[in-house]
Amino acid sequence: MSASLNATTAAATADATVDPARAEPLAVLGRDVTVPLVTGGEVTYAALDYAASAPALQRVWDDVAAYAPYYGSVHRGAGYLSQLSTDLFEQSRATVAEFLDCRPGDQVVFTRSTTDSLNLLAAVLPADCQVFVFETEHHASLLPWTNARVTYLNAPRTPDEAVATLERALADRDPYGPALVCVTGASNVTGELWPVKELAAAAHAHGARIVLDAAQLAPHHPVSVRELDVDWVAFSGHKLYAPFGSGVLAGRADWLQEAEPYLAGGGASRKVARREDGGVDVEWHTTAARHEAGSPNVIGVYSIASACKALNEAGFENLVARERRLIAEVREGLAGVPAVRVLSLFGDDAPRVGVISFVVDGWNSSHFAAALSAEYGIGVRDGLFCAHPLVRTLLGSEPQTQGECGAPEAAPGELPQTPSGGTPGLNAIRVSFGAGTPDEHVERFVRAVKELVADGAKWQYRTEEGRCVPAV
């Protein structure tokens, strides 16, 4: 069995003479899928919504397919397949720990997603813990801390300002109480990299701990828990080319071991006994299993481990170099369209991953995204990206009602008017890409933006349940 699992498709080793920025994209599922266009014919689908969910790597799919016939219960059975599945599950834990460069003693807990990971951490916070979080965070990082004292920090406009803002807030806190800082590694709206190492140093200097939301960072850059000196890191499989419903919370074990299990049930308990008074006494595990009650998602866990191996084998230096070239091409293309405004906190020169959000003068964002899909076969996302405070800060607007599709266009710099004379709410459009994105998809996107702004949509669109869709 081990031979069949190891005989999967490995990433091809690039010729040493090839420019890494010009390397081929990694093979992903869906790369040959065609979709119909409202204007007639079909086109290969351009998946440019990686920030929401990245396609599965072919390597991941092959590994899962090789394992699937051997699927069995984990930590439950004496049979061969159960033993094999348990070994695979625990080997995957070790692979993820290596991928994250965890410290000795760190625990890797498998969850459902980044959101689940951060809610788990929120559930194990010590009593009277104070949490510091920037308003620029994704809702997964912004909202879980309902049982803690939360200090929301204003959006910084430079990395240095982010560090200074955190230091001032921490200096005013109770120096003897527990505290936690939560920060993203890369924004899911702007793609900009945050100064994680500097923020971790500031947190530790003031006796606080820090958790890194690496949902948008881990698929694009290596993440070293040891080097960044973060206490925990959280990420999702479905953004790491492993869309099988699993996530990770990795880091220090003490708060996890001292708290009640996140979920009570089989797997989390080591010993359960009836008491004479009719109740039960429970001895909980002190390992990662303490917070992994229920039958584990071994397929999802193994897919994450497979993706970690594939990314390491491909070489992050090559992946980063290629992605930087694609980022430059998109930004240069959008800069050539006066009606387009790219959103940014830290400015044009800030390092970033392949996530770019923008607005187009005279366009309802849903209308623009619908036209990209229906007329060009390009999948992007529009809206507020589960980061409402950040997007509203970047847009400089309060929540409003989206205008109707096909509303009259406005002059550059002006908001379009709805047929009823109201002003539609500004939302943004997000294009995102990664290791599996072909050059042609980026080129088609840039061309489509220019054509839509210059010539308008070729099709009629209508509003249906608050979204623009092609009219029949």
Side-chain angles (χ1 to χ4, degrees):
M1 168 57 190
S2 59
S4 61
L5 282 180
N6 290 330
T8 54
T9 305
T13 302
D15 190 306
T17 61
V18 175
D19 180 0
R22 294 290 173 182
E24 291 296 312
L26 300 187
V28 295
L29 296 185
R31 59 191 179 275
D32 298 322
V33 168
T34 59
V35 294
L37 302 180
V38 292
T39 51
E42 293 187 343
V43 67
T44 303
Y45 183 66
L48 296 178
D49 194 16
Y50 275 46
S53 284
L57 287 173
Q58 184 67 53
R59 159 71 178 273
V60 170
W61 190 259
D62 291 344
D63 281 354
V64 167
Y67 163 66
Y70 300 88
Y71 172 80
S73 61
V74 175
H75 300 150
R76 300 293 191 275
Y80 180 81
L81 298 191
S82 291
Q83 292 294 305
L84 187 147
S85 295
T86 298
D87 286 346
L88 192 72
F89 187 80
E90 294 303 333
Q91 288 170 13
S92 297
R93 199 189 304 276
T95 298
V96 171
E98 182 180 1
F99 179 75
L100 295 173
D101 190 25
C102 288
R103 300 159 296 236
D106 282 347
Q107 286 188 347
V108 173
V109 180
F110 289 115
T111 65
R112 294 178 298 173
S113 61
T114 307
T115 301
D116 196 33
S117 295
L118 293 172
N119 275 272
L120 162 57
L121 187 59
V124 305
L125 294 180
D128 202 34
C129 186
Q130 187 171 3
V131 175
F132 297 83
V133 57
F134 287 92
E135 67 175 0
T136 47
E137 292 291 312
H138 185 281
H139 293 171
S141 304
L142 194 69
L143 303 180
W145 319 106
T146 54
N147 294 325
R149 294 180 294 128
V150 185
T151 298
Y152 295 105
L153 307 176
N154 292 333
R157 287 297 181 170
T158 67
D160 288 344
E161 185 183 337
V163 177
T165 298
L166 178 62
E167 287 180 331
R168 285 194 299 270
L170 290 172
D172 292 337
R173 80 175 188 90
D174 178 358
Y176 301 106
L180 177 71
V181 177
C182 181
V183 68
T184 188
S187 171
N188 78 304
V189 177
T190 67
E192 292 164 319
L193 299 179
W194 277 63
V196 176
K197 189 172 184 177
E198 292 78 6
L199 291 168
H204 293 154
H206 290 85
R209 298 190 181 191
I210 185 168
V211 57
L212 168 63
D213 175 355
Q216 300 296 341
L217 183 63
H220 302 273
H221 282 271
V223 174
S224 170
V225 169
R226 195 189 311 260
E227 181 180 344
L228 294 173
D229 198 23
V230 293
D231 298 280
W232 293 277
V233 60
F235 70 88
S236 296
H238 72 98
K239 299 187 193 302
L240 196 79
Y241 310 99
F244 291 91
S246 195
V248 169
L249 177 67
R252 302 197 182 279
D254 53 351
W255 286 7
L256 294 168
Q257 292 176 349
E258 293 163 5
E260 291 294 302
Y262 182 47
L263 296 173
S269 56
R270 183 160 55 187
K271 180 180 178 181
V272 179
R274 289 290 304 273
R275 297 196 305 262
E276 291 184 1
D277 63 4
V280 294
D281 287 323
V282 183
E283 182 181 334
W284 303 107
H285 279 294
T286 57
T287 63
R290 185 184 188 90
H291 298 289
E292 294 176 344
S295 295
N297 177 7
V298 62
I299 294 285
V301 165
Y302 181 46
S303 71
I304 289 180
S306 173
C308 290
K309 289 181 179 179
L311 292 172
N312 277 338
E313 289 170 4
F316 263 114
E317 288 186 4
N318 295 341
L319 299 178
V320 169
R322 183 174 184 275
E323 187 172 308
R324 282 176 179 163
R325 176 176 62 81
L326 297 181
I327 293 170
E329 291 178 5
V330 171
R331 288 179 60 83
E332 182 179 353
L334 295 180
V337 185
V340 170
R341 176 167 67 93
V342 173
L343 305 183
S344 175
L345 264 180
F346 299 154
D348 291 341
D349 296 332
R352 64 194 74 225
V353 300
V355 179
I356 298 170
S357 296
F358 61 98
V359 292
V360 184
D361 288 340
W363 281 85
N364 172 315
S365 63
S366 181
H367 187 188
F368 200 87
L372 286 174
S373 175
E375 300 177 26
Y376 295 90
I378 298 170
V380 298
R381 185 175 171 187
D382 72 283
L384 301 176
F385 318 127
C386 294
H388 295 188
L390 170 57
V391 178
R392 287 301 171 204
T393 294
L394 295 172
L395 294 176
S397 67
E398 293 301 318
Q400 298 161 338
T401 302
Q402 272 291 88
E404 295 294 319
C405 299
E409 294 187 359
E414 296 180 359
L415 293 175
Q417 297 296 306
T418 64
S420 61
T423 301
L426 273 176
N427 286 342
I429 305 149
R430 184 181 70 190
V431 57
S432 52
F433 40 88
T437 303
D439 287 16
E440 188 276 329
H441 291 185
V442 166
E443 294 162 0
R444 192 195 321 172
F445 167 76
V446 172
R447 183 178 71 253
V449 171
K450 292 180 178 179
E451 290 180 1
L452 285 172
V453 171
D455 305 328
K458 301 181 183 69
W459 201 257
Q460 294 295 316
Y461 294 81
R462 61 185 173 83
T463 302
E464 183 177 289
E465 298 182 353
R467 294 202 56 80
C468 294
V469 297
V472 177

